Amino acid sequence: DGKAGAGAGDPLAALHLQRGVLFASGLIAGEGLIGILFALLSVTETSIALGDGPLLGSWASTAAYTLLAVFMARIVCGKGLFRRAAREGG
């Protein structure tokens, strides 16, 4: 093919690649910040409870995981933006 890299010559593919790199960078940075928060909580022996029993904590973590999965799917799929632009030719 002879293209220089992913998205070379195709502005839509280049935009898709840039969004993916930015999103991945944000996930890595967020993971680092959460790691620091967990380390501080561990050092100070602080406990965070999400309710009186394990049921609320279970529901809260399931809801958070589901929201994260939906958010990531919308970012990856581009909320239809890239599909519309590809159909319209630009």
Side-chain angles (χ1 to χ4, degrees):
D1 191 31
K3 289 189 177 182
D10 184 4
L12 184 61
L15 178 63
H16 214 229
L17 181 64
Q18 289 174 352
R19 284 184 59 155
V21 169
L22 181 62
F23 183 67
S25 298
L27 288 177
I28 292 169
E31 180 186 10
L33 292 173
I34 292 297
I36 292 171
L37 176 67
F38 284 166
L40 289 173
L41 291 174
S42 178
V43 167
T44 59
E45 297 180 2
T46 303
S47 176
I48 297 177
L50 293 176
D52 293 337
L55 184 60
L56 180 60
S58 176
W59 279 105
S61 63
T62 301
Y65 182 77
T66 302
L67 288 174
L68 179 63
V70 168
F71 175 71
M72 289 175 61
R74 290 179 57 105
I75 292 294
V76 169
C77 294
K79 295 181 269 190
L81 173 68
F82 296 114
R83 287 180 298 226
R84 274 196 306 271
R87 274 189 304 226
E88 294 170 0

